[in-house]
Amino acid sequence: METAGSTPGGLDASDPLWQAAPRRVKVRAPGKINAFFKVGPLREDGYHAVASTYLAVSRYEEVAATARPGTPPSDITVSIGAGSSLDPEQLAGIPLDGSNLAVRAALLVADIAENPTGVHLEITKHVPIAGGMGGGSADAAAALVACDALWHTGLSREELSHLGAELGADVPFALLGGAAVGLGVGDQLTAALAPTPLHWVLVPADYGLSTPVVYGALDALRAAAGTVADEPGQVEAGVLAALRAGDARALAPWLHNDLQAAAVSLAPSLADVLAEGDGLGALASLVSGSGPTLAFLAADADHAQELADALSGRGHRAWAVEGPVHGAHIVP
Ligand code: ATP
């Protein structure tokens, strides 16, 4: 029980550390697309090695963490922000219990923090759910950064990244942002130079695809064709050179996703939308990660807007975005 002058974290209310601690911290974290994605054979441990190029894009999740004075750190509640732009049916599929990735992230920081309190996490969702854009991972990254600030934990980016890796292979990238090469199961990250943002159009679907199901479909397609996948090796040098140069036309021929055929086998209409975007003048197109979100590469910002308008005119939701952008960061 709190006494006069004490704080939920057990510090004296006159303690400068308590006074300096914010009570509410809002963090934005980007969704991602994969400009290049090679997948190796199914391993005995059930995972696949990958060689991936991640790009953080300007479609953000927002997590607002509010300290709940007088409650223990295990008391973590979560709600979906009214400003979320996804369909209500999609939002209804997000777990609001301890399995929510943002809650799991907060608990990991609470374990380390000296004076954690209970916290409420309000997640404002703009990244499609089970859309192949790492939306849940972005929520986890945002919650890590927010709780670190809220509880004055002072963890380095590297320490946060280690915590994030416990939650999923895409969480360290949502912290890092920018462009990066992911090897191993996507968790061995190396930042890539990409100083000039490129312009993209994203077309989300009104349904999700489960990542393990898409990997399973890839294994089944390979087995049916009698092909044995090579180890993924490295990301093609051409991808990294084009990103370094900020040259959309040079990047276009290198866009590749081994999961694309698997996603299309599960949701055949994706092939029609890809062809539509190509027909409307996209430089190149691909399924993002495990799908079903589609990414179309444009020559510049105007071209991306034109393409988004043309796709909207044909009844698709289409978002003009740019990437790379920064990873998880506090919003003033
Ligand atoms: P990835 O590409 O990393 O597999 P994704 O974008 O395809 O991710 P997510 O939106 O991250 O998929 O969510 C996948 C599943 O994770 C959801 O179906 C949901 O059950 C669960 N989940 C847990 N926490 C969250 C969260 N904060 N937001 C969305 N989904 C979450």
Side-chain angles (χ1 to χ4, degrees):
M1 175 135 168
E2 277 179 67
T3 53
S6 78
T7 67
L11 295 172
D12 189 275
S14 61
D15 190 308
L17 185 59
W18 171 255
Q19 290 181 351
R23 305 292 179 275
R24 185 167 192 267
V25 179
K26 202 194 269 187
V27 176
R28 283 169 109 193
K32 58 83 185 170
I33 59 176
N34 302 84
F36 183 86
F37 205 73
K38 277 250 175 230
V39 181
L42 177 64
R43 303 191 313 208
E44 281 191 359
D45 63 5
Y47 289 95
H48 298 76
V50 302
S52 159
T53 307
Y54 287 103
L55 281 189
V57 293
S58 56
R59 187 88 197 163
Y60 298 95
E61 299 283 88
E62 210 167 81
V63 174
T66 308
R68 299 175 64 228
T71 60
S74 56
D75 199 345
I76 298 175
T77 54
V78 63
S79 65
I80 303 301
S84 300
S85 56
L86 305 182
D87 295 339
E89 311 87 74
Q90 283 210 326
L91 293 173
I94 298 170
L96 297 179
D97 57 12
S99 68
N100 190 294
L101 285 165
V103 175
R104 293 176 57 203
L107 282 170
L108 288 179
V109 182
D111 270 353
I112 294 172
E114 274 186 31
N115 291 294
T117 61
V119 64
H120 179 71
L121 303 172
E122 183 185 70
I123 308 177
T124 303
K125 303 248 358 147
H126 300 291
V127 174
I129 295 155
M133 287 187 62
S137 301
D139 297 342
L144 288 172
V145 172
C147 291
D148 174 59
L150 200 65
W151 296 326
H152 257 39
T153 323
L155 294 170
S156 66
R157 283 274 156 172
E158 203 183 355
E159 288 165 325
L160 289 173
S161 185
H162 274 118
L163 290 181
E166 291 182 34
L167 301 170
D170 291 343
V171 182
F173 178 70
L175 288 163
L176 180 68
V181 170
L183 301 177
V185 291
D187 56 330
Q188 295 167 22
L189 277 187
T190 313
L193 279 179
T196 314
L198 299 173
H199 298 273
W200 304 82
V201 176
L202 304 179
V203 173
D206 53 11
Y207 55 87
L209 284 177
S210 146
T211 303
V213 169
V214 176
Y215 273 95
L218 173 66
D219 295 334
L221 285 176
R222 285 173 168 171
T227 51
V228 179
D230 293 331
E231 285 304 321
Q234 296 290 326
V235 165
E236 292 285 352
V239 178
L240 301 177
L243 287 175
R244 249 190 330 266
D247 186 337
R249 288 183 196 283
L251 180 63
W254 294 106
L255 293 191
H256 174 80
N257 183 0
D258 271 356
L259 290 177
Q260 180 154 318
V264 170
S265 75
L266 294 166
S269 63
L270 292 176
D272 303 332
V273 188
L274 286 166
E276 242 179 299
D278 290 338
L280 290 167
L283 299 183
S285 58
L286 85 173
V287 168
S288 173
S290 53
T293 306
L294 304 179
F296 298 91
L297 180 59
D300 54 33
D302 288 344
H303 183 214
Q305 195 53 59
E306 278 165 31
L307 187 55
D309 291 344
L311 283 159
S312 301
R314 294 182 174 223
H316 301 292
R317 262 180 305 167
W319 303 320
V321 298
E322 61 176 42
V325 296
H326 291 301
H329 54 279
I330 292 177
V331 185

